[in-house]
């Protein structure tokens, strides 16, 4: 498998975690979003969405991170990302899709750029936008985790929810989002980051991270 992504992209980060948790070997290929490489004709001819990640797998170019993660879980059934019990599967999806569907669109890089270029918003104003929409979804996610009395993970081991949660927390911290009232998410984050699969998938450890290239 070849994963074309950007080290700091939350959707690329999702795929790296999913691949690592399932123990699947892959080659990571950097696509620099800051240089708009995802808009090059060579890339869009393979992925008309002009977005990352792009996954080359089983003779096909695959786009859209959540569809790819579901495909991985169906095509490679070992180490499943969803629990067996139907109600537990629902719980995992409820929390996962709250983040994936409510947060990714308003917080995506093209939207943040558009706020500046078309509406003249300052970086401070963009940061305020970012944290407003984060709070709108992460606060109820935290309340649901409290209702469920979660431990280190949503269930016994990290799965679909953690695959999507950890990249969102990573980017939220870049915008100085306040997690002081989110002890359940912070505990899950710490437990995940202690695992080698999450460490290998972390943006700091990717070959296209410019800070890593300088060391």
């Amino acid at each position: 498998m070849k994963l074309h992504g950007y080290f700091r992209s939350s959707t690329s980060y999702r795929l790296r975690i999913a691949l690592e948790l399932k123990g699947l070997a892959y080659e990571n290929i950097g696509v620099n979003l800051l240089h708009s490489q995802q808009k090059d004709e060579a890339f869009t001819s393979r992925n008309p969405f002009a977005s990352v990640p792009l996954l080359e797998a089983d003779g096909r170019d695959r786009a859209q991170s959540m569809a790819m993660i579901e495909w991985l879980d169906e095509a490679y059934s070992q180490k499943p990302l969803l629990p067996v019990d139907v109600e537990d599967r629902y719980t995992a999806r409820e929390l996962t899709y709250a983040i994936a569907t409510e947060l990714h669109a308003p917080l995506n890089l093209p939207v943040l750029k558009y706020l500046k270029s078309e509406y003249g918003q300052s970086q401070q104003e963009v940061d305020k936008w970012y944290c407003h929409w984060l709070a709108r979804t992460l606060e109820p996610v935290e309340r649901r985790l409290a209702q469920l009395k979660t431990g280190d993970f949503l269930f016994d081991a990290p799965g679909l929810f953690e695959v999507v949660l950890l990249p969102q927390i990573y980017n939220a911290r870049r915008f100085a989002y306040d997690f002081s009232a989110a002890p359940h998410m912070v505990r899950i984050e710490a437990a995940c980051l202690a695992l080698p699969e999450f460490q290998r998938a972390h943006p700091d450890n990717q070959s296209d991270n410019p800070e890593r290239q300088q060391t």
Side-chain angles (χ1 to χ4, degrees), residues 25 39 43 59 61 76 101-102 155 170 178 188 190 200 203 209:
K39 297 179 181 179
F43 191 85
D61 291 333
Y76 299 88
T101 63
E102 294 180 10
F155 298 110
Y170 170 82
D178 183 6
I188 291 171
R200 289 192 294 267
N209 183 332

Side-chain angles (χ1 to χ4, degrees), residues 103-155:
L103 288 181
H104 183 69
L107 305 185
N108 206 4
L109 182 60
V111 173
L112 304 184
K113 286 183 174 180
Y114 193 79
L115 290 172
K116 288 183 176 181
S117 64
E118 298 298 323
Y119 293 101
Q121 300 298 297
S122 67
Q123 185 61 52
Q124 183 178 9
E125 290 166 328
V126 170
D127 290 354
K128 184 177 179 181
W129 163 281
Y130 199 100
C131 288
H132 168 80
W133 292 109
L134 279 173
R136 189 177 182 275
T137 294
L138 292 186
E139 287 177 2
V141 167
E142 176 67 19
R143 290 196 294 271
R144 179 66 88 199
L145 292 172
Q147 291 174 349
L148 294 167
K149 298 180 174 61
T150 52
D152 284 347
F153 309 111
L154 179 58
F155 298 110

